[in-house]
Amino acid sequence: MRLESFPGNYETRKHSSFQVYGENVSITVVDVAKKATVSVTTVSRVLNNQPQVSPERRQRVLAAMEELDYKPNQVARDMRRKTAGRKTGQIAMMLINLDDYTMHTAFMMQYIHGVQQEIAEAGQKCIFVTWNDEFGDDTIPQILLDGEIDGVVTKGFPCTEIGKQWLNRYPKIILNPPVAPPDYDCVMVDYEAGIRDCITYLASLGHRRIAFVDMQMFHCKLLGYRRAVDELGLDADEGLIQTRDIIPPLKSESDLDWAIENLWSLSEPPTAILSNDYYCSAIYHALAERGLKVPDDVSIIGYDNAVDHCEALKPKLTSVDIEAVELGRLAAKQLLDRIRKPQGSHRKICTRGKIVERKSVRKL
Amino acid sequence: MRLESFPGNYETRKHSSFQVYGENVSITVVDVAKKATVSVTTVSRVLNNQPQVSPERRQRVLAAMEELDYKPNQVARDMRRKTAGRKTGQIAMMLINLDDYTMHTAFMMQYIHGVQQEIAEAGQKCIFVTWNDEFGDDTIPQILLDGEIDGVVTKGFPCTEIGKQWLNRYPKIILNPPVAPPDYDCVMVDYEAGIRDCITYLASLGHRRIAFVDMQMFHCKLLGYRRAVDELGLDADEGLIQTRDIIPPLKSESDLDWAIENLWSLSEPPTAILSNDYYCSAIYHALAERGLKVPDDVSIIGYDNAVDHCEALKPKLTSVDIEAVELGRLAAKQLLDRIRKPQGSHRKICTRGKIVERKSVRKL
DNA sequence: TTGTATGCGTTATCAC
DNA sequence: GTGATAACGCATACAA
């Protein structure tokens, strides 16, 4: 194959894709340039959709690419880009200090899915990393040390100084933290609004005495409850609020007989109960022991929409879906924004969730 | 800063880290070489832990790295590696055609965690990708097309021809497929063994009439049931087997009254029931309606150990944990093996799970 | 054991 | 519009 009509001079090239060299022969811009009788520069321009290429030549290049089944070497591109002070096109999805409870929760999966989707649509890559403080500082993921990524979406936060330091090197978004940290971008569920939606929903079905039962991280929710009850002019009986504060990992503490006991000691018991999906299971149980039927005697509405669980209960539990996939997407979207524009004040984005109707609520 | 005593000649280098060039000045091997008064080659060798460097020089290099706070440019290394026909050090964790059910399941999270851990420990990176056939072929993740990865751990399998093609370009491990595909490496839960363990466990507590209730993908489990009952000489009453086959996404079909009905029509009802975690919820309910108490009247044992769910039930459900994290680790480990040794017959690795004791089983 | 020189695939610069 | 060429940061034949 002679190359007379071909403008570039690539004599220095030690091998072309036409001669087998080792075993990993790959088609490069040089090969495409040869085939299309243009320079590598032109090929690169076509590759990057730059305007200053004549339609005719662009065609030739595209045809050559097609014919040779050319695939750009992403790693090489990344290198040029990165060293040109640009971005690597990689972001990390970090799960830091995941406790066993979170580990067994389906939300995480949805968060990750959402993040990945959004990142992929932006043509970037999502590198997945889990890390715990107890692993020790010498196990900090290489990727974070390398600076190979443009930013981080993190669920959880490192507690060690060193951990904080490396995380702080990057633009980052905190995914649904239990409490919103100041000076960070984060994306979170607006539990308050979600609960208000629940109350509004129940009120629209004629419920006026709605109980609030919870044992964990319920302060936002309780706020929403109080506001909604107030705004809608429902019965604001403090006896309808049954809470206990337990330490997070003890979600397994599922006995809620005391709550039902208290509620049904009221002169007028509630017609509806609001709680968390998993607590609802205990509530069903406690109600059954008293001979109370759901939803005939009491309506129940859960929070989190743990689908398997809600569907497994009898009757199936109506619950508030926090839309975790969407939350993941929002986090990724905001991260990409932040990477583009590192300055600017921090933002907190909230989603309010959506009620998924099943069989545990009835119209009065 | 004069460089007399320095062996290399880097006059061609257009900028060093000592002069600001643009804004992205980074320390490179050249800088380290200068500082340590050695050649880049030596620096590179130290970087790669190659033996043929004198301790004294190695020391100098390490000191220089430390002093300059040198961070290798991973992208550049990747490029060399890749183009040298070696590996990229990246593997992909793919979730293909995830249905809504799987999406809401906590296992996935654990699989991913396990895979990531193992990959990280091997010093590699795990890129996370989700993809569905319905997205269309033009949305195939760039990363798979680029050939930037060494292999794939996949949960799920593409149905389109094109999808299969790109997946087939890589060494891959299938993660717990519903049925073991021939000619593929895979890692899966040995449901049969898990069920046998359950039966053995129940038998050790004195149970001889154990019911098997399931509605989905239960054939392996049923096999395990039959074998164990046979081997242990327990009551092999076909009436104890209550199954119906439903279409997978309909796991929400949670009514199992018919099963309990049938079971308690037997001349001698079972003393223990074996099922899936979520079905157990319906079983609890059906039993309660008949006034039967768990575990006093019947022992119940679930499968999958959906922690939240098991802990939410009353009494808390004893269940078989499939050890999904471990499964993920095994998958990653096997993938790394396969990448190193592309030839060789395909392997199926099984894990048998572990019984997590809670409150739903009692000794007879 | 150590250093020189060159290549990896792509893009940026600059001259035409 | 187009092309020649020098980087990018690292690794490695080959020479010493």
Side-chain angles (χ1 to χ4, degrees):
Chain A
M1 186 179 207
R2 301 294 298 133
L3 304 169
E4 278 90 356
S5 60
F6 139 69
N9 171 12
Y10 303 111
E11 301 305 316
T12 54
R13 187 153 202 269
K14 290 305 179 294
H15 75 267
S16 87
S17 64
F18 302 114
Q19 52 182 141
V20 176
Y21 193 86
E23 40 186 345
N24 255 60
V25 258
S26 55
I27 313 290
T28 74
V29 273
V30 177
D31 300 306
V32 175
K34 277 184 192 170
K35 188 92 183 173
T37 0
V38 297
S39 72
V40 279
T41 312
T42 303
V43 174
S44 178
R45 285 188 179 122
V46 172
L47 213 56
N48 293 284
N49 276 320
Q50 291 179 26
Q52 71 266 44
V53 182
S54 69
E56 187 264 340
R57 297 196 144 209
R58 182 181 299 271
Q59 250 333 301
R60 283 223 308 275
V61 172
L62 290 172
M65 286 179 173
E66 175 80 14
E67 214 168 325
L68 295 173
D69 190 30
Y70 165 75
K71 308 245 186 289
N73 180 329
Q74 198 60 40
V75 183
R77 305 184 79 178
D78 284 349
M79 175 170 137
R80 281 311 271 126
R81 290 195 188 139
K82 185 186 171 187
T83 53
R86 300 232 241 92
K87 305 308 178 195
T88 64
Q90 303 190 143
I91 73 103
M93 167 84 208
M94 296 211 60
L95 271 33
I96 307 179
N97 292 331
L98 274 196
D99 54 80
D100 204 56
Y101 169 70
T102 318
M103 192 71 252
H104 282 81
T105 237
F107 296 143
M108 288 310 311
M109 192 50 224
Q110 299 171 55
Y111 290 146
I112 300 173
H113 182 61
V115 170
Q116 197 280 327
Q117 288 277 299
E118 192 69 31
I119 296 294
E121 282 172 20
Q124 317 219 170
K125 273 164 289 175
C126 176
I127 297 187
F128 185 78
V129 182
T130 55
W131 192 76
N132 282 41
D133 282 329
E134 69 225 30
F135 292 172
D137 290 335
D138 49 337
T139 65
I140 290 173
Q142 196 54 39
I143 188 159
L144 285 159
L145 302 175
D146 290 342
E148 267 179 280
I149 47 175
D150 301 333
V152 174
V153 173
T154 175
K155 173 70 187 172
F157 212 80
C159 298
T160 67
E161 262 320 302
I162 294 203
K164 286 178 193 162
Q165 274 172 28
W166 47 253
L167 192 53
N168 273 327
R169 289 175 44 194
Y170 299 101
K172 60 197 141 324
I173 309 293
I174 322 269
L175 199 52
N176 203 25
V179 303
D183 303 329
Y184 283 99
D185 288 310
C186 57
V187 164
M188 45 201 310
V189 174
D190 187 343
Y191 293 104
E192 187 191 324
I195 289 293
R196 293 170 75 176
D197 289 342
C198 277
I199 308 273
T200 308
Y201 168 73
L202 291 171
S204 77
L205 295 176
H207 294 272
R208 300 193 53 83
R209 291 187 66 76
I210 303 170
F212 178 92
V213 176
D214 212 331
M215 296 201 284
Q216 206 188 355
M217 313 282 293
F218 53 79
H219 294 93
C220 281
K221 293 182 182 174
L222 188 49
L223 192 63
Y225 172 85
R226 289 212 157 96
R227 288 220 179 135
V229 165
D230 185 47
E231 283 169 13
L232 297 168
L234 306 179
D235 291 7
D237 182 344
E238 282 294 312
L240 290 172
I241 298 171
Q242 294 293 334
T243 62
R244 276 190 194 169
D245 233 327
I246 61 172
I247 291 90
L250 284 179
K251 196 135 190 167
S252 55
E253 183 46 66
S254 60
D255 190 336
L256 282 165
D257 294 341
W258 54 272
I260 300 307
E261 171 87 30
N262 291 345
L263 254 13
W264 263 260
S265 309
L266 295 176
S267 55
E268 196 183 346
T271 61
I273 303 177
L274 214 64
S275 191
N276 170 284
D277 284 352
Y278 293 103
Y279 294 144
C280 283
S281 182
I283 292 175
Y284 271 41
H285 187 266
L287 290 171
E289 299 230 310
R290 297 186 150 256
L292 263 18
K293 291 239 175 267
V294 179
D296 303 334
D297 301 317
V298 215
S299 291
I300 311 277
I301 187 162
Y303 210 102
D304 283 353
N305 193 34
V307 177
D308 276 341
H309 183 74
C310 296
E311 303 264 335
L313 291 180
K314 273 195 85 167
K316 294 179 183 170
L317 182 66
T318 290
S319 182
V320 181
D321 192 304
I322 66 168
E323 311 219 87
V325 175
E326 183 59 21
L327 211 64
R329 293 194 85 107
L330 286 173
K333 202 174 296 186
Q334 171 148 13
L335 178 60
L336 296 174
D337 272 2
R338 174 60 71 200
I339 289 169
R340 272 190 291 271
K341 202 162 66 74
Q343 315 306 336
S345 57
H346 293 290
R347 289 201 299 164
K348 312 223 176 300
I349 295 182
C350 296
T351 58
R352 64 193 302 150
K354 198 175 68 192
I355 295 171
V356 176
E357 293 186 299
R358 294 199 182 83
K359 307 288 186 189
S360 63
V361 174
R362 81 172 182 103
K363 197 169 180 352
L364 280 196
Chain B
M1 187 183 206
R2 301 294 300 133
L3 304 168
E4 278 91 355
S5 58
F6 141 68
N9 170 12
Y10 304 111
E11 302 303 317
T12 55
R13 187 152 201 269
K14 290 306 177 295
H15 75 269
S16 86
S17 66
F18 301 116
Q19 53 184 140
V20 176
Y21 193 86
E23 38 187 345
N24 256 60
V25 258
S26 55
I27 313 291
T28 75
V29 273
V30 176
D31 299 309
V32 175
K34 276 183 191 170
K35 187 91 183 176
T37 357
V38 298
S39 74
V40 279
T41 313
T42 304
V43 175
S44 178
R45 287 188 177 123
V46 172
L47 214 54
N48 293 285
N49 276 322
Q50 291 180 27
Q52 70 265 45
V53 182
S54 70
E56 187 263 339
R57 298 198 145 209
R58 182 181 298 272
Q59 249 334 300
R60 284 225 304 277
V61 171
L62 291 172
M65 287 180 173
E66 176 81 15
E67 214 167 323
L68 295 173
D69 190 30
Y70 166 74
K71 308 245 185 291
N73 180 331
Q74 198 60 38
V75 183
R77 305 184 80 178
D78 285 347
M79 176 171 134
R80 282 306 272 116
R81 287 193 192 142
K82 187 187 169 185
T83 54
R86 300 234 241 90
K87 305 310 177 194
T88 63
Q90 302 190 144
I91 74 104
M93 166 85 209
M94 296 212 59
L95 271 34
I96 307 180
N97 291 332
L98 275 196
D99 55 77
D100 205 55
Y101 169 70
T102 317
M103 192 71 253
H104 282 83
T105 235
F107 297 143
M108 288 311 311
M109 192 51 224
Q110 298 170 57
Y111 289 146
I112 299 173
H113 182 62
V115 170
Q116 197 279 328
Q117 288 277 299
E118 192 69 32
I119 295 295
E121 281 171 20
Q124 316 220 168
K125 274 164 291 176
C126 174
I127 297 188
F128 184 78
V129 183
T130 56
W131 191 76
N132 282 42
D133 282 329
E134 68 225 30
F135 292 172
D137 291 335
D138 50 337
T139 65
I140 290 173
Q142 195 56 39
I143 188 159
L144 285 160
L145 302 175
D146 291 341
E148 268 179 278
I149 47 175
D150 300 333
V152 175
V153 173
T154 176
K155 173 69 187 172
F157 212 79
C159 298
T160 66
E161 262 320 303
I162 294 204
K164 285 178 191 158
Q165 274 171 29
W166 48 252
L167 191 55
N168 274 328
R169 290 174 47 194
Y170 299 100
K172 61 196 141 319
I173 308 292
I174 322 268
L175 198 51
N176 202 24
V179 304
D183 303 329
Y184 282 99
D185 289 310
C186 58
V187 164
M188 44 201 312
V189 175
D190 187 343
Y191 294 105
E192 187 191 325
I195 290 292
R196 294 170 74 177
D197 288 343
C198 277
I199 307 273
T200 307
Y201 169 71
L202 290 171
S204 77
L205 295 176
H207 293 273
R208 300 193 52 82
R209 291 187 66 74
I210 303 171
F212 179 91
V213 177
D214 212 331
M215 297 201 283
Q216 206 188 356
M217 314 281 294
F218 53 77
H219 294 93
C220 280
K221 293 182 182 173
L222 188 48
L223 193 64
Y225 172 85
R226 289 213 158 95
R227 288 221 177 134
V229 165
D230 184 49
E231 283 170 12
L232 297 169
L234 307 180
D235 292 6
D237 182 344
E238 282 294 312
L240 289 172
I241 299 172
Q242 295 293 333
T243 62
R244 279 191 193 168
D245 233 328
I246 61 171
I247 292 88
L250 283 180
K251 197 137 190 168
S252 55
E253 183 47 64
S254 59
D255 189 336
L256 282 166
D257 294 342
W258 54 271
I260 301 307
E261 171 85 31
N262 291 345
L263 252 15
W264 263 260
S265 308
L266 295 175
S267 56
E268 197 182 344
T271 61
I273 304 178
L274 213 63
S275 190
N276 169 286
D277 284 351
Y278 292 103
Y279 295 144
C280 284
S281 182
I283 292 174
Y284 271 42
H285 187 265
L287 290 171
E289 297 230 311
R290 297 185 150 257
L292 263 18
K293 290 239 176 270
V294 179
D296 301 334
D297 302 317
V298 214
S299 290
I300 312 276
I301 188 163
Y303 210 102
D304 283 353
N305 193 32
V307 177
D308 276 340
H309 184 74
C310 296
E311 303 263 335
L313 291 179
K314 275 197 83 168
K316 294 178 184 173
L317 183 66
T318 290
S319 183
V320 181
D321 192 305
I322 66 168
E323 309 219 270
V325 175
E326 183 59 21
L327 210 62
R329 294 194 85 108
L330 287 173
K333 204 175 293 184
Q334 172 147 13
L335 178 60
L336 295 174
D337 272 2
R338 175 60 70 198
I339 289 169
R340 273 190 291 270
K341 202 161 67 71
Q343 316 305 335
S345 57
H346 294 290
R347 288 199 301 164
K348 312 224 177 298
I349 295 182
C350 296
T351 58
R352 65 193 302 150
K354 198 175 69 191
I355 295 171
V356 176
E357 292 186 300
R358 294 200 182 84
K359 306 289 185 186
S360 62
V361 174
R362 80 172 181 103
K363 196 169 180 356
L364 279 196

